[in-house]
Amino acid sequence: MEQMLSSLERDFLQFVRKTMHMNEALNLMLWDLKTGAPKLGVELRAEAFGTLSAEVHAMSTSVQMKSYIDRLSEIAVYDTLSAITKKTLDEVKRKYEQNIHIPVGEYKEYMVLLANAGSVWEAAREKSDFAMFRPCLEQIVAFNRRFVDYWGYEGNRYNAHLDVHEPGMTVAILDDVFTKVKEHIMPLVKRVTEANDQPRTSFLFHYFPKDKQREVSLYLLKAMGYDFARGRLDETVHPFALSINRNDVRVTTAYYEHDFRKSVFSTIHEGGHALYEQNIAEELIGTPLCTAASGGIDESQSLFWEKMVGQHKGFWKYHYPALKEWNREQFDGVELEDFYRAIHFVEPSCIRLRSDEMTYQLHIIIRYEIEKALFNHELEVKDLPEWWNEKMDAYLGIAPPDDAHGVLQDVHWSLGLIGYFPSYALGYLYAAQFRNAMINDLPDFDAFVESGNVAPIRAWLTDNIHLHGRRKTPNELLRDVTGEGLNPDYLLRYFEQKYAEIYRL
Amino acid sequence: MEQMLSSLERDFLQFVRKTMHMNEALNLMLWDLKTGAPKLGVELRAEAFGTLSAEVHAMSTSVQMKSYIDRLSEIAVYDTLSAITKKTLDEVKRKYEQNIHIPVGEYKEYMVLLANAGSVWEAAREKSDFAMFRPCLEQIVAFNRRFVDYWGYEGNRYNAHLDVHEPGMTVAILDDVFTKVKEHIMPLVKRVTEANDQPRTSFLFHYFPKDKQREVSLYLLKAMGYDFARGRLDETVHPFALSINRNDVRVTTAYYEHDFRKSVFSTIHEGGHALYEQNIAEELIGTPLCTAASGGIDESQSLFWEKMVGQHKGFWKYHYPALKEWNREQFDGVELEDFYRAIHFVEPSCIRLRSDEMTYQLHIIIRYEIEKALFNHELEVKDLPEWWNEKMDAYLGIAPPDDAHGVLQDVHWSLGLIGYFPSYALGYLYAAQFRNAMINDLPDFDAFVESGNVAPIRAWLTDNIHLHGRRKTPNELLRDVTGEGLNPDYLLRYFEQKYAEIYRL
């Protein structure tokens, strides 16, 4: 009996590993598409991508998978499984149950819809014409409303979508947290933007050649401790980090020759994601646990590096002299203090991706409120632009000049990503909460950053977060590391202190 | 009935297309491994590669594939199929029959052996110690000897391996052809190397920076008519071209900063392969016909461009002034005639890959004779180094100083590639035979090359060869294009005339 069990467990892990290998191929295809695949090969590539994706989906909802799940879930069997197998089984089951209730025909129809949605959205954004995207978005929303019923939910209907990206997250929690954030940040933004002593920013937009920016990016990744023997840096349009396998985690960045901030901060941000993936425990390789715990936890790692380290004054005290060497003219006469203040310039913008860290929170809250209303049938797609613009005016005091700068700006809905936006705000909240716990353990945090020695910081993140991969839920992880549940006070206090100092409030 | 048949045909083509999609993923993985995948990610990548390869193998020998083959091969059904489906069926059947007779356990064992053979061979070559590689090679040979029995063969046992890479090729044909080649080339090489008027070559080895060489490579590919919207150029160690899909055919090259010939001629060579793959008829996409007709025909296209165009005096009359601009010092005082003679310098070398085009033929013939003896049990692996060195002495008049420069120099056997070497020599023979046919159709061939207008040449190759993909066997193609079977006279006459002029014999 013992022998049979262990062979069943082994076969199951082997089957799961096979799906991970297919995912590795898919991820490499994605990376290639975004970093330099010849443009006329893309159409055929999309076809091959579709075939492999369908194969992975078929495996994850197959009779064989069901049989593994059933046999391994029997209590007598379950108790004999290794800890990793148990968690793997949980994760596989979660995916199985998400997918199995969707009728096959409907799933295929949805995939075809999404395959075309991207170009419809792009064309609509190009022409700034929401009406062009509307029929497509209506279908995407209709499918996803039905998915909620297939999946089932507790409490609010939108919880079903939140749970996909952030297991355990609910509207009840977010309503509470986002209300606090909104109430705190709106007056703070007002005080900051009305402060007399505004940073000067014109030097930010001087010409900084691409090849020099690439050198800076390589320098920064090295300084962070990113392992180039297990990764590489490439150029793309919308930066991302991607784990092709645990020992091949790639970073991408974008170079704007008249705004070096784009590459500097997106490199640090994506480097933060990459450090997470590079430092997951080796024993999780080949399982679905070898990835970030959730969208929010993943963002917490990129944002920790981008904001809590990369926008730390000590960080630039150490690295600014090196940066200056790459472009002396640009920084001639710009003191460290000027530089530091400039990278913290706060200004409401219509575009989420061009926002400073404080108004960014309001952009996310707007999207959260809109999705919540959509999935509770309190809002229909046709009324989206109006809602969008009203909320922008209420929270940020600006009105988008057109749909391209409003409701059409984000790619997410065209990809079928519903319930993902809150991950960004959660990333900030988690990052600040982790920072607080880290400073308790490493009281010399500031001194480490200032001396260019981030190894203890990286080691802390690895031990407390990275190593665990997806073995813990976001909430388990947060409680284990910080001793409490989600608490927005850390981020709000961090903003308050930081901006009071920078803007001399 | 009509309806059922066409749905059967459609399903079959869909099933085949799925295997092609898996191959697309595998090819991208290969390209990535050879052009910049992080070195520590390779081990996990190899695992994923193994999974997908096994999947393709399983599909190609599946019960489902057998059922398609059986049902579509019934005469009443077969006659209704489209011409492309018929050829696809033939090709799929050929692969099915090659693989189905190998017991599954044995195939897996062989795959495991090959997975490790590469590093064993590399270590042995590093240490120049054949004994290190011998046990591994003995196993590879033993497997392949058994494969011959599984596959079956007509006439000579080695025919089974020749047929894998060059359908229809036999020992009877090659013995005859290679004897002629050997008898002609050996005395010609002797006359050339003993000629009084030797080219001066020292200028070839000046410093030529990598980035400039890359510009030259891009320039040359453009001049050949390679479509960059459906391809790209990257750096690698051993140059290759690879069709990831028909609209994504990538070229790689290597830059030696003290021998620019490497990048110039490998770029033209691989560009020749790429032009073939880029110009296969669109209707063959998604079938196994969307590739070169055979190893030999594939090499004929790369060698046609490298040798018949890229080493044409007119080619350099047109392009040499541009080349000089990239590195003025190097070519200062080097006239076109000096340059042209230098790139035709003939000198026997121990290493195949460093050989000139004439002694190269003898390298291939040695490998052919050795493989033939091995698979007819006239030679055992333990005696390989001795045979190798004796043949090198007999045909080229030089003795390898050690195994690294002798029997261990080529990667092929460690990859399980048996019967592939003749493709290189066949490539030369086909290329010269095609050239003769082309000149009949395009009497202004020389003038086209000299004026930098290679479009008519490319169009001729496309119409006569590229478009057909794998729809014709090598021999059908050769007969359709040149009106006769394999005839070595064209290559021998070409060498005779060219070298008599260059060496003023």
Side-chain angles (χ1 to χ4, degrees):
Chain A
M1 190 65 188
E2 183 66 24
Q3 192 57 35
M4 274 185 64
L5 282 191
S6 64
S7 109
L8 174 65
E9 186 172 346
R10 214 166 42 237
D11 288 352
F12 165 68
L13 291 174
Q14 197 53 45
F15 187 74
V16 169
R17 203 172 182 98
K18 204 169 145 185
T19 65
M20 302 313 291
H21 288 159
M22 303 281 278
N23 271 328
E24 176 160 347
L26 285 165
N27 282 338
L28 182 66
M29 283 172 151
L30 264 187
W31 172 84
D32 184 65
L33 279 171
K34 303 288 184 193
T35 56
K39 65 177 189 293
L40 295 182
V42 166
E43 205 180 315
L44 289 172
R45 174 65 47 80
E47 232 188 78
F49 192 88
T51 296
L52 268 79
S53 304
E55 191 63 27
V56 172
H57 183 259
M59 285 176 78
S60 72
T61 55
S62 61
V63 175
Q64 197 171 354
M65 187 61 100
K66 174 81 166 75
S67 153
Y68 282 125
I69 292 174
D70 289 346
R71 285 184 290 162
L72 293 170
S73 299
E74 284 169 32
I75 294 175
V77 181
Y78 188 81
D79 288 345
T80 69
L81 301 177
S82 78
I84 289 177
T85 305
K86 281 179 185 162
K87 288 284 176 192
T88 299
L89 183 63
D90 293 347
E91 187 60 24
V92 157
K93 222 160 142 179
R94 207 173 88 90
K95 280 272 165 62
Y96 179 84
E97 277 160 13
Q98 257 171 34
N99 292 322
I100 197 67
H101 297 296
I102 301 176
V104 175
E106 207 166 324
Y107 181 82
K108 278 194 188 160
E109 237 181 279
Y110 183 56
M111 287 297 117
V112 172
L113 175 65
L114 290 188
N116 296 304
S119 51
V120 176
W121 167 71
E122 267 178 32
R125 193 178 62 157
E126 182 87 14
K127 294 237 184 322
S128 192
D129 181 1
F130 181 72
M132 282 171 68
F133 185 47
R134 184 181 143 184
C136 180
L137 183 57
E138 279 172 341
Q139 284 183 273
I140 292 174
V141 168
F143 271 107
N144 276 281
R145 281 174 171 175
R146 283 197 300 275
F147 293 168
V148 173
D149 292 313
Y150 295 143
W151 293 334
Y153 59 95
E154 280 176 41
N156 195 291
R157 293 181 62 85
Y158 185 46
N159 288 347
H161 277 102
L162 291 174
D163 194 71
V164 170
H165 305 290
E166 200 69 15
M169 190 49 64
T170 64
V171 164
I173 300 172
L174 287 183
D175 274 352
D176 186 40
V177 166
F178 284 165
T179 301
K180 270 195 195 149
V181 171
K182 207 159 61 177
E183 282 172 0
H184 190 96
I185 283 188
M186 285 172 63
L188 180 56
V189 167
K190 195 166 177 336
R191 280 159 63 213
V192 163
T193 52
E194 288 174 359
N196 287 325
D197 197 358
Q198 294 290 322
R200 68 179 178 100
T201 57
S202 59
F203 72 90
L204 295 171
F205 310 106
H206 290 195
Y207 175 69
F208 199 142
K210 209 181 211 183
D211 57 332
K212 296 287 172 199
Q213 287 194 49
R214 178 172 155 84
E215 287 174 23
V216 174
S217 286
L218 292 170
Y219 164 87
L220 289 167
L221 286 173
K222 213 175 146 200
M224 291 167 69
Y226 171 78
D227 183 354
F228 278 97
R230 302 193 290 127
R232 51 181 282 167
L233 173 69
D234 294 88
E235 187 182 356
T236 193
V237 179
H238 301 293
F240 61 92
L242 188 62
S243 173
I244 294 175
N245 67 50
R246 188 261 188 190
N247 294 332
D248 183 356
V249 182
R250 304 185 183 187
V251 172
T252 65
T253 193
Y255 305 107
Y256 292 3
E257 292 199 313
H258 286 279
D259 192 347
F260 70 92
R261 291 176 304 175
K262 179 72 183 177
S263 70
V264 163
F265 293 105
S266 75
T267 297
I268 301 177
H269 181 98
E270 304 307 337
H273 282 303
L275 284 181
Y276 191 172
E277 302 275 355
Q278 284 191 333
N279 291 305
I280 293 174
E282 279 197 62
E283 56 183 352
L284 300 184
I285 288 173
T287 75
L289 311 175
C290 195
T291 188
S294 70
I297 299 292
D298 205 4
E299 292 301 326
S300 80
Q301 296 309 291
S302 50
L303 289 166
F304 186 90
W305 284 96
E306 181 188 354
K307 304 296 177 182
M308 276 83 199
V309 178
Q311 291 194 212
H312 191 291
K313 197 194 256 180
F315 184 82
W316 290 107
K317 190 166 172 196
Y318 185 82
H319 294 292
Y320 186 48
L323 177 69
K324 279 167 118 168
E325 286 305 306
W326 271 291
N327 206 9
R328 287 193 203 175
E329 251 176 84
Q330 175 163 21
F331 302 110
D332 189 35
V334 179
E335 299 302 318
L336 172 63
E337 183 68 18
D338 303 326
F339 179 83
Y340 178 66
R341 296 190 74 213
I343 62 174
H344 285 90
F345 182 57
V346 173
E347 184 181 48
S349 153
C350 291
I351 303 290
R352 176 179 62 88
L353 283 172
R354 283 192 218 130
S355 297
D356 60 89
E357 56 184 356
M358 280 204 296
T359 58
Y360 187 91
Q361 313 304 322
L362 302 173
H363 280 277
I364 296 306
I365 293 171
I366 290 172
R367 285 152 179 82
Y368 164 74
E369 291 176 353
I370 284 178
E371 288 190 345
K372 188 176 65 168
L374 267 177
F375 287 90
N376 284 290
H377 298 266
E378 293 156 7
L379 162 64
E380 293 307 319
V381 170
K382 68 174 168 49
D383 301 319
L384 266 176
E386 204 188 318
W387 271 56
W388 187 283
N389 296 345
E390 276 172 15
K391 283 192 180 279
M392 282 296 291
D393 187 40
Y395 295 171
L396 286 149
I398 51 176
D402 53 32
D403 291 340
H405 293 80
V407 70
L408 287 176
Q409 69 183 271
D410 294 310
V411 71
H412 301 63
W413 294 336
S414 73
L415 296 169
L417 276 176
I418 311 282
Y420 192 81
F421 285 119
S423 304
Y424 299 118
L426 287 167
Y428 274 95
L429 296 166
Y430 292 147
Q433 200 166 331
F434 289 144
R435 176 176 169 276
N436 186 68
M438 184 189 287
I439 290 175
N440 284 336
D441 292 344
L442 301 176
D444 293 333
F445 174 79
D446 290 332
F448 286 135
V449 174
E450 198 174 314
S451 63
N453 175 21
V454 294
I457 294 169
R458 203 175 55 243
W460 189 95
L461 291 170
T462 294
D463 292 344
N464 286 283
I465 299 159
H466 303 169
L467 273 178
H468 305 294
R470 214 180 176 91
R471 266 187 288 208
K472 299 182 182 184
T473 65
N475 198 45
E476 281 167 0
L477 193 65
L478 196 64
R479 288 191 179 273
D480 288 351
V481 179
T482 71
E484 61 179 320
L486 182 61
N487 182 346
D489 291 347
Y490 300 103
L491 181 68
L492 300 178
R493 210 177 302 145
Y494 170 82
F495 280 158
E496 181 68 40
Q497 285 170 356
K498 187 166 204 180
Y499 287 87
E501 186 223 323
I502 293 170
Y503 280 81
R504 294 145 195 173
L505 299 176
Chain B
M1 190 67 184
E2 183 65 23
Q3 194 53 39
M4 274 183 65
L5 284 190
S6 63
S7 109
L8 175 64
E9 185 172 347
R10 213 167 42 238
D11 288 351
F12 165 68
L13 291 175
Q14 197 52 43
F15 187 73
V16 169
R17 203 172 181 99
K18 204 170 145 184
T19 65
M20 303 313 292
H21 288 158
M22 303 281 276
N23 272 326
E24 176 159 347
L26 285 165
N27 282 338
L28 181 66
M29 283 172 152
L30 264 187
W31 171 83
D32 184 64
L33 280 172
K34 303 288 183 193
T35 55
K39 64 175 190 294
L40 296 182
V42 166
E43 205 179 312
L44 289 172
R45 174 66 47 80
E47 233 189 76
F49 191 88
T51 296
L52 268 78
S53 305
E55 191 63 28
V56 171
H57 183 260
M59 284 176 79
S60 72
T61 55
S62 61
V63 175
Q64 196 172 353
M65 187 61 100
K66 175 81 166 74
S67 154
Y68 281 125
I69 292 174
D70 289 345
R71 284 184 289 164
L72 293 170
S73 299
E74 284 169 32
I75 294 176
V77 180
Y78 188 81
D79 288 345
T80 68
L81 301 177
S82 78
I84 290 177
T85 304
K86 281 180 184 161
K87 289 281 176 194
T88 298
L89 182 62
D90 292 348
E91 186 61 22
V92 158
K93 223 161 141 178
R94 207 173 89 91
K95 279 275 164 62
Y96 179 83
E97 276 159 13
Q98 259 171 33
N99 292 323
I100 197 67
H101 298 297
I102 302 177
V104 175
E106 208 167 323
Y107 181 81
K108 277 194 188 160
E109 238 181 279
Y110 182 57
M111 286 297 116
V112 173
L113 175 65
L114 291 188
N116 296 305
S119 52
V120 176
W121 166 72
E122 267 177 32
R125 193 178 64 155
E126 183 85 14
K127 294 237 183 323
S128 192
D129 182 0
F130 181 72
M132 282 170 68
F133 185 45
R134 185 181 140 184
C136 180
L137 184 56
E138 279 172 340
Q139 284 183 274
I140 291 173
V141 168
F143 270 106
N144 277 280
R145 281 174 171 174
R146 283 197 300 275
F147 293 167
V148 173
D149 291 312
Y150 295 142
W151 293 334
Y153 60 96
E154 280 176 41
N156 195 291
R157 292 182 62 84
Y158 185 45
N159 288 347
H161 277 101
L162 291 175
D163 194 71
V164 170
H165 305 290
E166 200 69 14
M169 189 48 65
T170 64
V171 164
I173 299 171
L174 287 183
D175 274 352
D176 186 42
V177 166
F178 284 165
T179 301
K180 269 194 195 150
V181 170
K182 206 160 61 178
E183 282 171 0
H184 191 96
I185 282 187
M186 284 172 64
L188 180 57
V189 167
K190 195 167 181 323
R191 280 160 64 212
V192 163
T193 52
E194 288 173 358
N196 287 326
D197 196 357
Q198 294 289 322
R200 68 179 179 100
T201 58
S202 59
F203 72 90
L204 295 172
F205 311 106
H206 291 193
Y207 175 67
F208 199 142
K210 207 180 212 184
D211 57 333
K212 296 287 172 199
Q213 288 194 50
R214 179 171 155 87
E215 287 174 23
V216 174
S217 286
L218 292 171
Y219 165 87
L220 290 168
L221 286 172
K222 214 176 145 197
M224 292 168 69
Y226 171 78
D227 182 354
F228 278 97
R230 300 194 291 127
R232 50 181 283 166
L233 173 69
D234 293 272
E235 186 181 356
T236 192
V237 178
H238 301 292
F240 63 91
L242 187 63
S243 173
I244 294 175
N245 66 50
R246 188 260 187 190
N247 294 332
D248 182 356
V249 182
R250 304 186 183 187
V251 172
T252 65
T253 194
Y255 306 107
Y256 291 5
E257 292 200 312
H258 285 278
D259 192 347
F260 70 92
R261 291 176 305 175
K262 180 71 183 178
S263 69
V264 163
F265 293 105
S266 76
T267 297
I268 301 176
H269 181 98
E270 304 308 337
H273 282 303
L275 284 180
Y276 191 173
E277 302 275 357
Q278 283 191 333
N279 290 304
I280 293 174
E282 277 196 66
E283 55 184 351
L284 300 184
I285 289 173
T287 75
L289 310 175
C290 196
T291 189
S294 72
I297 300 292
D298 205 4
E299 292 300 326
S300 81
Q301 296 311 291
S302 50
L303 289 165
F304 186 91
W305 284 96
E306 181 189 353
K307 304 296 177 184
M308 277 82 199
V309 179
Q311 289 194 212
H312 191 293
K313 197 195 256 179
F315 184 82
W316 290 108
K317 190 166 171 196
Y318 186 82
H319 293 294
Y320 186 48
L323 178 70
K324 280 167 116 167
E325 288 303 307
W326 270 291
N327 206 8
R328 288 192 201 176
E329 254 177 81
Q330 173 163 21
F331 301 109
D332 189 35
V334 179
E335 299 301 317
L336 172 64
E337 183 68 18
D338 302 326
F339 179 84
Y340 178 66
R341 296 190 74 213
I343 63 172
H344 284 90
F345 181 58
V346 174
E347 184 181 47
S349 155
C350 291
I351 304 291
R352 175 179 63 88
L353 282 172
R354 284 192 216 130
S355 297
D356 60 88
E357 58 184 353
M358 280 204 296
T359 57
Y360 188 89
Q361 312 304 320
L362 302 173
H363 280 277
I364 296 306
I365 293 171
I366 290 173
R367 285 153 180 80
Y368 164 73
E369 291 176 354
I370 283 179
E371 288 190 346
K372 187 176 66 169
L374 268 176
F375 288 90
N376 284 290
H377 298 267
E378 293 156 6
L379 164 63
E380 292 307 320
V381 169
K382 69 174 166 47
D383 300 319
L384 265 176
E386 205 188 319
W387 272 54
W388 187 283
N389 295 344
E390 276 172 15
K391 284 193 181 277
M392 282 297 291
D393 187 40
Y395 296 171
L396 285 150
I398 51 176
D402 54 31
D403 290 340
H405 293 79
V407 68
L408 286 175
Q409 69 183 268
D410 294 311
V411 70
H412 300 63
W413 293 336
S414 73
L415 296 170
L417 275 176
I418 312 281
Y420 191 82
F421 284 118
S423 306
Y424 298 119
L426 286 168
Y428 274 94
L429 296 165
Y430 293 148
Q433 199 165 332
F434 288 144
R435 175 177 171 274
N436 187 68
M438 184 189 287
I439 290 175
N440 283 337
D441 292 344
L442 301 175
D444 294 334
F445 174 79
D446 290 332
F448 285 135
V449 175
E450 198 175 314
S451 63
N453 174 21
V454 294
I457 294 169
R458 203 176 55 244
W460 188 95
L461 292 170
T462 293
D463 292 345
N464 285 283
I465 298 158
H466 303 168
L467 273 178
H468 305 293
R470 214 181 177 91
R471 266 187 287 208
K472 299 183 183 185
T473 66
N475 199 44
E476 281 166 1
L477 193 66
L478 196 64
R479 289 193 178 272
D480 287 352
V481 179
T482 71
E484 61 178 322
L486 183 60
N487 182 346
D489 292 346
Y490 299 103
L491 181 69
L492 300 178
R493 209 177 302 145
Y494 170 81
F495 279 157
E496 180 68 40
Q497 284 170 357
K498 188 165 202 178
Y499 286 89
E501 186 223 321
I502 292 169
Y503 280 83
R504 294 145 194 175
L505 300 178

